[in-house]
Amino acid sequence: MFNALLLDKQEDRTVASIQSIDESRLGTGDVLVRVEYSTLNYKDALAITGQAPVVRTFPMVPGIDFAGIVEESTHADYQPGDAVVLNGWGAGETHWGGLAQKARVPGDHLIPLPAGITTQQAMAVGTAGYTAMLCVQALEKYGVAQDGDVLVTGANGGVGSFAVAILAKRGYRVIASTGRPEEAVRLRELGAAEIIDRTTLSKPGKPLQKERFAAAVDCVGSHTLANVCASLRYGGAVAACGLAQGMDFPATVAPFILRGVALLGVDSVYVPRARRMAAWDAIANELPVAVIEGVAATIGLSQAVEVAGQLLRGEIKGRVVVDVNR
Ligand code: NDP
């Protein structure tokens, strides 16, 4: 038996409860993992509260990521005792995810825990930090000018906080856009050189605006992403990964066809293994442990439902690690 946060559908409502579950109910997969830590991502909060159709089949254990220790394996790459990390691949959406003490998954979905970080630190980074690294790597692969400002929207969120830290560490001048200017000290500690109020970007704007940013990481979508595109300087690029303001994209083609601006889509769920490993290696090598730990607070499994609501209300800053054994 193991403890899990279980989501069920009652009439039209998603009901979440902590349950003791028999291991035989775990899905198929060639690796059984003793989960140590999971996290609460924006997507997990949507799943737990039922505010968006993240969960494809009920009952479901949410949790799009976890880190833990292999308990049983018939996969060639993994032996009992190996420390592993999982991000995405439909965990918590189409098959049972990380907000549980046990998970059975295909070994191909796992990567080894990068050297130099613990399972708790890996989940402080979580899908948010890994997505932030994918965004920065996408911008650099495209070719971002080193001499311009780089904007991060949703800067106080999980992806945003890590994007600020990674970009600053790599020497960029980072402008952090946030609805919580009272957190300016925290953002400056992460490496932001300038902080702007998110309302300057979140309303409908002109198709082409002053050329302000060499590049951007956008966690927000909607009018914000449209305004970011309109404010990129000639040849600039934005890595778009989020929809915190909305899934819509009320923009014109003007920035693309008149300024050669590039919109780079970033997905973390089905990224090929080589790019996952590259992102995690870069995180483990570049980010000081103090930054990783400073960005996160740890809660117990029983607090996950309450904190999911707070996360969607924008009351959480940084990352939430879930100790599934607490
Ligand atoms: P968080 O909830 O931690 O952060 C989201 C941030 O967005 C908030 O902290 C807030 O930042 C800002 N925000 C919230 N509501 C609004 C609004 N109405 N208008 C403008 N800004 C707003 O989420 P994550 O950092 O974990 O994820 C960020 C986004 O990226 C989410 O949409 C998530 O679904 C997506 N995502 C996508 C992935 C992918 O694979 N493409 C992977 C991971 C996440 P502030 O307080 O600074 O204003």
Side-chain angles (χ1 to χ4, degrees), residues 42 127-128 131 154-160 177-180 198 219-220 241-245 266-269 311 318:
Y42 191 80
T127 297
T131 301
N156 267 305
V159 179
S177 166
T178 182
R180 289 178 277 179
R198 79 184 190 197
C219 305
V220 170
C241 71
L243 42 56
Q245 184 182 3
V266 172
D267 164 65
S268 69
V269 180
L311 198 146

Side-chain angles (χ1 to χ4, degrees), residues 260-277:
V261 156
L263 174 55
L264 311 173
V266 172
D267 164 65
S268 69
V269 180
Y270 296 110
V271 177
R273 183 180 166 84
R275 278 168 58 199
R276 285 171 191 265
M277 304 273 289

Side-chain angles (χ1 to χ4, degrees), residues 40-46 64 127-132 134-135 152-161 176-183 186-187 196-199 201-202 218-222 224 240-246 265-271 310-320:
L40 270 190
N41 295 282
Y42 191 80
K43 204 179 204 176
D44 299 319
L46 290 174
I64 64 169
T127 297
Y130 149 72
T131 301
L134 289 173
C135 287
V152 176
T153 63
N156 267 305
V159 179
S161 297
S177 166
T178 182
R180 289 178 277 179
E182 69 276 12
E183 298 294 339
R186 178 181 172 276
L187 289 170
I196 61 172
D197 191 316
R198 79 184 190 197
T199 56
L201 291 165
S202 60
D218 179 60
C219 305
V220 170
S222 192
T224 299
C241 71
L243 42 56
Q245 184 182 3
V266 172
D267 164 65
S268 69
V269 180
Y270 296 110
V271 177
Q310 293 170 356
L311 198 146
L312 291 184
R313 290 194 297 275
E315 295 166 10
I316 303 289
K317 54 179 188 283
R319 301 270 305 136
V320 179

Side-chain angles (χ1 to χ4, degrees), residues 6-7 106 117 155 157 173 185 214 242:
L6 199 70
L7 304 180
I117 60 172
R173 186 174 186 278
V185 172

Side-chain angles (χ1 to χ4, degrees), residues 144-151 212-216 231-233 235-238:
V144 174
Q146 290 278 343
D147 61 339
D149 291 348
V150 181
L151 174 73
R212 292 165 72 191
F213 314 112
S231 307
L232 285 170
R233 71 186 204 193
V238 52

